[in-house]
Amino acid sequence: MTVLRKNLIDGEWLGDAGSRNINPSNTNDIVGEYASAGPQEARQAIAAAKAAFPAWSRSGPLVRHAVLKKTSDEIMARKDEIGRSLAREEGKTLAEGVGETIRAAQIFDFFAGETLRLSGELVPSVRPGVGVEMTREGVGVVGIITPWNFPIAIPAWKIAPALAYGNTIVFKPAELVPESAWTIVDILHRAGLPKGVLNLVMGKGSVVGQAMLDSPDVNAISFTGSVGTGKRVAAASVEHMRKFQLEMGGKNPLVVLDDADLAVAVDCAINGAYFSTGQRCTASSRLIVAEGIHDRFVDAVKERLEKLVIGDALDARTQIGPVVDQTQLKQDEDYIAIGGREGAELAFGGDRLERETPGFYLRPALFIGATNAMRISREEIFGPVANVIRVKDYDEALSVANDTPFGLTSGICTTSLKHATHFKRNSEAGMVMVNLPTAGVDFHVPFGGRKGSSYGPREQGRYAMEFYTTVKTAYTFAG
Ligand code: NAD
């Protein structure tokens, strides 16, 4: 029998029957049952967060440090169990699930440290006898809205800084991954957060999320998800004059130059394009390959694709798990058909796979002969699908890489210091990788993009402070 996981509102676990969550590796396996909040619960959660803000924002670094450190320690101690549960509900592999869980623990640890490092500035005024202090304060009630593809890391990298800098939270996780969200909230709650500081409202985006967007009492919204929803968050936030931060899609280029180390380039392409079933905003979906290495690169990528083990996320041998759900699988297949109609050649995969259990298994797909004008090169697919775009040289590669509405991450494989240096400076992306996959980032440095990928201050690392605090300038005349 599954236990109903409830929403946390004002320190109480509330809710009755909700919706069930299934395992994408085995659709007969029900992961759990989760309460589904309505607009009324969302409003209660916002009111609770508002009431809790004055005390929490003045709680002092030691109290906040203790909660965040304790949370980090528990997540780390339970990394195998939580990582397994994450893999079961999202479909990424066990190794990826455990890795993501460790990362969440590291993020809480980092921001526990940041509570003790908050500083301000004291400067002389231009007026004699006057002192000027610049300090940072929490923003207020922060709405946190997250996607399904990093069920624990993305909530962690929003919740940890929000709490560290003295904000209170209404957290609305993605419908597909409530177990990971519930787990992190349960740990934080037991770590000693006062009531109302962190509220969990699981439920539909169009209902619970929308109620958050419509509330004048939500002072800031941190959102990660699709461009379409991001635009709604932006429009509603402007209406309420609130602070907002958006992390959205990507169509990230990996450039492979003739002088690249072939083995490194193939590793970067396989990892960047296909790991986590290609369901990463940082995935390398455009492989921009110079003509001198093109054929050798394509042959080597196909050879590696042949050997990849695609299967049940919970089987330790699996390298690529299933697609997250039926809707995403259909989207992947639709784009594979579109690519064919646009004239790209499907050089590998793209077909459904049968496994022992019913699941959303798709063989990773590689297109060759793609152009940068095709829809498969311009729109985010968010699945294990990559296109090879052949180019003449570095100059054409850079221009194709930058010719996109997105700008999250980019990569180049080359042994030329000159080209690597030029690419780092001229790539129009928020994160640039040299001889590394476009996906896979450190937890202690800024994360975010440009153009249609991101809006507002960066997330993670010390830069997170920009979003989660507001600056106060105080003048004192001491007489
Ligand atoms: P989505 O936009 O469908 O949903 C994201 C969240 O918004 C969910 O919690 C959803 O319930 C909520 N939501 C939906 N409608 C809403 C509304 N009207 N009001 C308020 N909230 C609403 O995105 P998804 O399918 O969960 O995630 C996939 C997308 O996320 C991809 O585009 C991917 O690139 C992006 N993503 C970006 C980053 C990044 O940092 N740039 C990281 C991971 C994922």
Side-chain angles (χ1 to χ4, degrees):
M1 211 188 79
T2 53
V3 180
L4 177 75
R5 302 286 206 202
K6 298 183 178 181
N7 284 312
L8 183 68
I9 299 174
D10 205 13
E12 302 285 330
W13 293 105
L14 301 174
D16 38 39
S19 56
R20 288 178 158 185
N21 179 17
I22 55 163
N23 172 354
S25 301
N26 176 5
T27 55
N28 294 327
D29 175 29
I30 292 164
V31 178
E33 195 176 349
Y34 304 86
S36 197
Q40 182 53 26
E41 280 104 328
R43 284 192 285 271
Q44 274 174 346
I46 294 165
K50 187 177 177 184
F53 177 69
W56 179 249
S57 64
R58 290 172 177 77
S59 58
L62 214 53
V63 174
R64 295 183 219 159
H65 176 272
V67 170
L68 296 176
K69 183 74 177 82
K70 213 167 161 192
T71 299
S72 170
D73 291 347
E74 179 169 341
I75 294 174
M76 197 58 116
R78 292 173 55 196
K79 67 180 171 23
D80 294 322
E81 170 222 330
I82 297 173
R84 188 179 175 80
S85 150
L86 194 167
R88 184 174 164 214
E89 77 171 347
E90 200 270 355
K92 61 180 67 177
T93 64
L94 267 181
E96 288 167 336
V98 174
E100 186 183 329
T101 306
I102 292 172
R103 184 179 170 151
Q106 289 167 328
I107 290 167
F108 277 103
D109 189 45
F110 178 88
F111 283 105
E114 286 302 284
T115 61
L116 303 172
R117 280 189 285 270
L118 246 191
S119 61
E121 282 183 77
L122 182 62
V123 298
S125 164
V126 294
R127 287 171 282 169
V130 174
V132 187
E133 295 153 40
M134 287 162 274
T135 52
R136 287 180 180 269
E137 296 176 1
V139 177
V141 176
V142 177
I144 290 181
I145 303 178
T146 56
W148 49 263
N149 65 329
F150 283 95
I152 199 158
I154 293 181
W157 82 49
K158 295 180 189 296
I159 292 173
L163 293 176
Y165 298 121
N167 300 280
T168 56
I169 299 172
V170 178
F171 169 35
K172 149 64 190 108
E175 292 93 309
L176 289 173
V177 289
E179 180 63 27
S180 300
W182 184 89
T183 302
I184 202 171
V185 170
D186 174 54
I187 294 172
L188 277 156
H189 178 58
R190 286 187 291 96
L193 276 180
K195 73 183 181 105
V197 171
L198 172 64
N199 302 274
L200 171 69
V201 281
M202 299 178 284
K204 283 195 166 52
S206 55
V207 177
V208 185
Q210 193 62 45
M212 290 163 68
L213 303 193
D214 294 341
S215 170
D217 290 330
V218 174
N219 306 105
I221 291 194
S222 180
F223 168 84
T224 301
S226 62
V227 174
T229 314
K231 285 183 176 167
R232 298 177 80 107
V233 174
S237 297
V238 169
E239 180 67 26
H240 291 288
M241 293 296 235
R242 75 160 73 93
K243 210 170 177 181
F244 64 100
Q245 169 186 60
L246 312 174
E247 288 299 341
M248 300 167 290
K251 198 71 200 176
N252 310 295
L254 176 72
V255 168
V256 179
L257 295 186
D258 288 341
D259 62 16
D261 177 320
L262 185 63
V264 169
V266 172
D267 273 350
C268 289
I270 294 286
N271 176 323
Y274 301 112
F275 282 13
S276 299
T277 323
Q279 297 171 156
R280 293 187 284 191
C281 48
T282 49
S284 325
S285 45
R286 294 183 298 143
L287 307 174
I288 301 168
V289 186
E291 56 193 12
I293 198 171
H294 178 275
D295 294 357
R296 282 181 293 138
F297 174 80
V298 168
D299 288 347
V301 168
K302 277 163 59 180
E303 203 176 299
R304 282 283 296 280
L305 283 171
E306 293 280 2
K307 293 187 191 135
L308 283 181
V309 182
I310 297 127
D312 190 320
L314 299 182
D315 182 333
R317 290 164 300 183
T318 294
Q319 292 169 293
I320 309 276
V323 171
V324 73
D325 73 349
Q326 181 60 43
T327 309
Q328 183 62 49
L329 181 61
K330 180 170 183 315
Q331 176 164 314
D332 297 347
E333 291 183 321
D334 286 351
Y335 272 109
I336 290 166
I338 289 168
R341 285 201 298 276
E342 288 181 306
E345 180 190 334
L346 189 58
F348 187 90
D351 49 325
R352 275 198 204 193
L353 294 168
E354 296 284 321
R355 290 294 179 260
E356 270 173 30
T357 49
F360 309 114
Y361 298 106
L362 182 68
R363 202 191 307 271
L366 181 72
F367 278 111
I368 57 173
T371 70
N372 202 44
M374 292 175 175
R375 280 183 64 194
I376 55 165
S377 297
R378 303 208 77 77
E379 297 168 19
E380 185 181 51
I381 300 173
F382 218 54
V385 185
N387 317 327
V388 176
I389 302 170
R390 186 198 284 256
V391 291
K392 206 164 64 261
D393 54 16
Y394 171 73
D395 289 341
E396 189 184 352
L398 176 65
S399 130
V400 170
N402 284 339
D403 176 12
T404 169
F406 296 105
L408 188 57
T409 175
S410 68
I412 188 166
C413 292
T414 180
T415 51
S416 154
L417 182 60
K418 181 178 148 196
H419 285 140
T421 307
H422 190 270
F423 189 78
K424 277 191 283 184
R425 175 63 189 87
N426 293 285
S427 170
E428 294 167 5
M431 296 171 285
V432 185
M433 316 288 177
V434 176
N435 295 321
L436 287 167
T438 58
V441 294
D442 288 4
F443 65 87
H444 67 306
V445 292
F447 179 98
R450 299 182 183 180
K451 302 200 269 189
S453 290
S454 303
Y455 187 93
R458 291 284 185 268
E459 302 205 62
Q460 301 193 61
R462 299 203 64 205
Y463 282 70
M465 191 195 293
E466 285 306 320
F467 182 72
Y468 292 101
T469 63
T470 178
V471 173
K472 180 173 278 171
T473 313
Y475 296 81
T476 310
F477 177 58

